[in-house]
Amino acid sequence: MPIIVQKYGGSSIESIEKIRNVAKRISECRKKGFDLVVVVSAMGKTTDYLIDMAHQVSSKPKKREMDVLMSTGEQVSISLLSIALNDIGIAAVSYTGPQLGIKTEGYHTKSRISEIDKEVILSEINKGKVIIVAGFQGVNEKNEITTLGRGGSDTTAVAIAAKLECPCEIYTDVDGVYTVDPRLYPSARKLESISYDEMLELASSGAGVLHTRSIELAEIYNVPLTVALNTGDIKGTIIKELDETMEKTAITGLAVDNSESMITLNGVPHDIKIIADIFAKIAELDINIDMISQTTPINKLVSISFTLPKIDLPQAINILEQYKEKIFTFSYDTFDNISKLTVIGIGMKSQSGVASKMFNILAENDISVHIITTSEIKISYVINPEDQQKAIEAVAREYNL
């Protein structure tokens, strides 16, 4: 029988009733002749609850221990779903990431999958069982439990689908991918399909529909990927390879990210070795720098602004404090309340004037911009949070999003 990998997020299994509903959906899919590997997240807000408990115990909990703690949420989910399936006559077996041989590499709390042993999965499928897998986790080369970062269950599901060379269906509490987050812009349109590249840019720019690594893997291994409502009765959005129809629209979607902070370095000597050293020290801590802007040198000094995740701001500050002692002109300012607005569209490759129109929209609405970065299919702007809603509505109206 053909295999399908399905993933259910925390909101899909946040109660016993919802777990039973998912079990019924899996049963119906089995009756249609499919073998299933089902990846699940922790129930509801379980992960947030576990993180909160850790920070009640310590202001700086060790990341290794955070991984051990957070991975328990998915273990509860897989066991309950397996119990529910067996109770209605569907043979099922649950596996944690380490049990399934999901190998990881990188840092605790934000590891990457390096290998999956598909033999265990195929062995259970050959026995006629549904395999329930704990998302978001694996085991590293030191035999320690690691997690993949928030949303990492998506990546677990796509990685398994890639290994099994089968489709992947992501079920969540939204019925697909929208041009704009409907909570921010209720008139947003649902997309029937979107390219891997556009979806990757949307996800990395703040649209929290899918984990970015999951999209990367789907594109690399050409995994057919669908995002749909967890009830399964509404057609979702297909994420696929680019086709010629996708370039007709200049802007496909708009994303907003409020999870980043900004640092401005002042009085930095215009010496590439010094600048490289600063960013190398930050990179050593696996801190992801997003947008970067540098001024023209004045008296051989420059200012550099860049954005990074708010959660990593304290670590970055610790590094920058060291340079105050080394460079007498050096200082820095931090801004932990910013909004990043990003417009994305494959059509930018073939249609000119998008940047110009965007500047006009922002100017007409008196919206100040602190940093701008561009790529082939996206333009990102750091703006003040109080201008966020005004910017969303103006851009969405202009581009019929």
Side-chain angles (χ1 to χ4, degrees):
M1 293 192 291
I3 302 173
I4 295 177
V5 174
Q6 294 184 342
K7 179 260 176 177
Y8 291 91
S11 60
S12 304
I13 54 168
E14 64 185 356
S15 66
I16 297 302
E17 181 183 1
K18 288 192 173 184
I19 287 173
R20 286 180 174 144
N21 289 337
V22 168
K24 290 176 184 176
R25 293 201 66 237
I26 293 169
S27 175
E28 291 168 3
C29 196
R30 286 283 289 170
K31 290 175 183 177
K32 294 176 183 177
F34 292 101
D35 282 319
L36 288 168
V37 179
V38 180
V39 176
V40 293
S41 302
M43 295 173 65
K45 300 292 184 181
T46 297
T47 303
D48 291 334
Y49 173 66
L50 293 172
I51 292 172
D52 181 63
M53 280 201 301
H55 283 93
Q56 288 182 44
V57 173
S58 169
S59 60
K60 294 181 180 179
K62 297 287 187 182
K63 289 188 175 181
R64 178 192 181 277
E65 304 308 327
M66 290 299 294
D67 274 353
V68 174
L69 176 65
M70 290 189 293
S71 65
T72 63
E74 281 71 19
Q75 192 165 333
V76 172
S77 300
I78 59 173
S79 57
L80 288 174
L81 182 55
S82 181
I83 290 169
L85 283 164
N86 281 289
D87 189 59
I88 60 174
I90 302 296
V93 59
S94 64
Y95 281 94
T96 65
Q99 284 178 319
L100 200 64
I102 297 178
K103 304 294 184 183
T104 61
E105 58 188 11
Y107 292 81
H108 279 291
T109 74
K110 42 187 170 182
S111 292
R112 294 162 68 93
I113 294 175
S114 58
E115 185 55 62
I116 294 177
D117 182 3
K118 69 178 181 181
E119 296 310 315
V120 177
I121 297 174
L122 294 176
S123 173
E124 296 291 1
I125 285 176
N126 289 336
K127 296 174 187 175
K129 294 182 180 180
V130 174
I131 300 92
I132 313 298
V133 181
F136 172 67
Q137 61 184 251
V139 60
N140 67 13
E141 66 279 1
K142 297 179 181 178
N143 203 36
E144 293 187 330
I145 296 171
T146 65
T147 62
L148 309 179
R150 298 306 293 265
S153 294
D154 296 336
T155 298
T156 302
V158 173
I160 292 173
K163 195 72 177 179
L164 298 175
E165 299 180 340
C166 70
C168 182
E169 300 171 347
I170 307 290
Y171 290 104
T172 181
D173 54 0
V174 296
D175 60 351
V177 180
Y178 280 74
T179 53
V180 190
D181 186 337
R183 293 170 295 183
L184 300 174
Y185 188 67
S187 300
R189 294 181 294 104
K190 187 173 78 173
L191 298 166
E192 289 186 8
S193 64
I194 185 171
S195 70
Y196 291 122
D197 287 340
E198 288 174 314
M199 189 66 242
L200 180 59
E201 294 290 9
L202 273 173
S204 63
S205 299
V209 181
L210 287 172
H211 196 239
T212 53
R213 181 61 178 157
S214 70
I215 307 162
E216 291 175 351
L217 288 174
E219 182 170 23
I220 291 170
Y221 295 101
N222 197 24
V223 174
L225 188 57
T226 302
V227 177
L229 191 64
N230 46 35
T231 58
D233 52 4
I234 300 174
K235 186 177 180 181
T237 299
I238 299 170
I239 303 165
K240 62 180 185 177
E241 289 183 307
L242 175 68
D243 64 48
E244 58 184 17
T245 65
M246 294 178 178
E247 294 193 33
K248 293 180 180 178
T249 304
I251 302 298
T252 300
L254 180 156
V256 175
D257 190 353
N258 298 116
S259 68
E260 295 192 357
S261 55
M262 183 173 74
I263 296 177
T264 297
L265 310 180
N266 306 301
V268 181
H270 190 223
D271 183 335
I272 192 62
K273 292 181 180 178
I274 293 175
I275 295 171
D277 185 63
I278 293 173
F279 284 100
K281 292 286 194 306
I282 293 173
E284 285 173 5
L285 296 177
D286 200 33
I287 295 174
N288 181 38
I289 300 300
D290 184 15
M291 306 171 71
I292 303 177
S293 173
Q294 178 181 308
T295 62
T296 301
I298 298 178
N299 297 325
K300 297 184 179 180
L301 299 175
V302 297
S303 291
I304 302 171
S305 295
F306 60 91
T307 62
L308 71 166
K310 284 182 182 179
I311 193 172
D312 293 324
L313 184 60
Q315 287 181 290
I317 289 173
N318 288 338
I319 293 171
L320 298 178
E321 281 294 317
Q322 302 169 19
Y323 288 90
K324 280 186 174 181
E325 301 173 2
K326 298 177 182 178
I327 306 169
F328 76 93
T329 58
F330 181 85
S331 66
Y332 65 87
D333 298 302
T334 61
F335 308 86
D336 61 2
N337 191 24
I338 61 170
S339 292
K340 184 178 75 172
L341 181 84
T342 304
V343 290
I344 295 110
I346 287 288
M348 288 189 199
K349 289 183 177 181
S350 55
Q351 299 183 41
S352 61
V354 174
S356 173
K357 184 180 285 189
M358 282 294 299
F359 274 120
N360 285 334
I361 293 170
L362 297 174
E364 288 169 1
N365 289 274
D366 196 27
I367 297 170
S368 299
V369 177
H370 302 290
I371 305 180
I372 302 169
T373 58
T374 65
S375 74
E376 206 172 21
I377 65 169
K378 79 170 183 179
I379 310 175
S380 295
Y381 305 83
V382 169
I383 62 175
N384 297 322
E386 56 267 27
D387 292 328
Q388 174 180 300
Q389 193 60 35
K390 183 166 57 172
I392 291 170
E393 292 175 3
V395 175
R397 284 195 303 268
E398 181 66 32
Y399 285 101
N400 190 30
L401 300 177

